[in-house]
Amino acid sequence: MGPKFPIFLKDVQESDMDLLWRWANDISVRNNSFNSFFIKYEEHKKWFLKGLKDKNRIMLIALDSNNCKLGQIRFDLDKSKRTAIIDISIDPASRSFGIANTTIKLGLKRMREEWGENVIAEAKILKSNQTSINCFTKAGFAREDDNLNENSNFLVFKNI
């Protein structure tokens, strides 16, 4: 059946902490992360609560028109470089419906409203994660070849 469009974003709230922990520990998410180890709940809780107060972090939940939570997107601002690193994950039941692409585009809009038009979004993606590579390319990101190192296990994609 799938999600009911349109998709929209809401700010993450403290009540979303457990859901984000479950999404972060999804086996597919862990396998496509730079750190593939299980995230302990106490570590997540500490990180999460600190992140809610961080003015250099935007954490959003993607919802469908039935208020069903579909996934999350996060932006971490590096003021010195004027870049924001993107992290995204989609609930396993909501994958393959185009949610990630829509979430990225809506998230970029929100990021620019919050931090301005001159912030460049950057995604670091494992070379083996073809699904994310395709998704970010479809969302208008381009691979940064000057950051490409044949010994590296990831690629950098930017949205300018």
Side-chain angles (χ1 to χ4, degrees):
M1 185 160 170
K4 181 143 176 52
F5 286 84
I7 304 302
F8 62 97
L9 301 179
K10 76 166 191 83
D11 291 324
V12 166
Q13 300 171 359
E14 193 169 332
S15 61
D16 296 314
M17 181 170 58
D18 290 358
L19 177 62
L20 265 63
W21 177 68
R22 286 193 305 273
W23 282 342
N25 279 309
D26 173 75
I27 192 73
S28 177
V29 171
R30 295 285 21 108
N31 287 339
N32 287 301
S33 297
F34 291 98
N35 173 2
S36 61
F37 296 107
F38 179 83
I39 300 167
K40 294 178 183 170
Y41 185 77
E42 285 305 314
E43 291 173 19
H44 172 76
K45 182 177 179 180
K46 188 177 180 180
W47 170 88
F48 180 86
L49 294 174
K50 181 181 176 187
L52 279 179
K53 299 173 192 168
D54 189 342
K55 298 295 181 201
N56 294 316
R57 176 171 285 167
I58 299 171
M59 295 192 298
L60 305 162
I61 297 273
L63 301 148
D64 72 3
S65 60
N66 288 327
N67 281 332
C68 180
K69 295 177 180 179
L70 307 172
Q72 68 82 30
I73 188 164
R74 183 181 77 242
F75 297 88
D76 288 301
L77 180 64
D78 180 339
K79 288 183 179 177
S80 66
K81 296 181 182 174
R82 297 298 300 158
T83 60
I85 304 297
I86 298 178
D87 177 86
I88 184 170
S89 59
I90 302 299
D91 183 278
S94 299
R95 294 178 186 153
S96 301
F97 293 102
I99 303 301
N101 185 298
T102 302
T103 301
I104 291 167
K105 289 178 179 178
L106 292 171
L108 288 170
K109 183 177 184 293
R110 172 67 186 278
M111 179 197 79
R112 291 194 172 105
E113 288 169 357
E114 190 101 4
W115 293 331
E117 291 290 327
N118 60 343
V119 174
I120 297 170
E122 182 176 291
K124 294 181 179 176
I125 305 170
L126 291 177
K127 288 179 180 176
S128 59
N129 188 348
Q130 193 60 51
T131 301
S132 287
I133 291 169
N134 293 344
C135 179
F136 277 93
T137 301
K138 186 176 178 184
F141 282 67
R143 191 170 88 191
E144 279 288 299
D145 288 331
D146 59 338
N147 289 324
L148 188 59
N149 177 337
E150 65 184 54
N151 296 323
S152 174
N153 66 341
F154 68 92
L155 301 169
V156 176
F157 286 77
K158 291 187 178 183
N159 182 267
I160 300 175

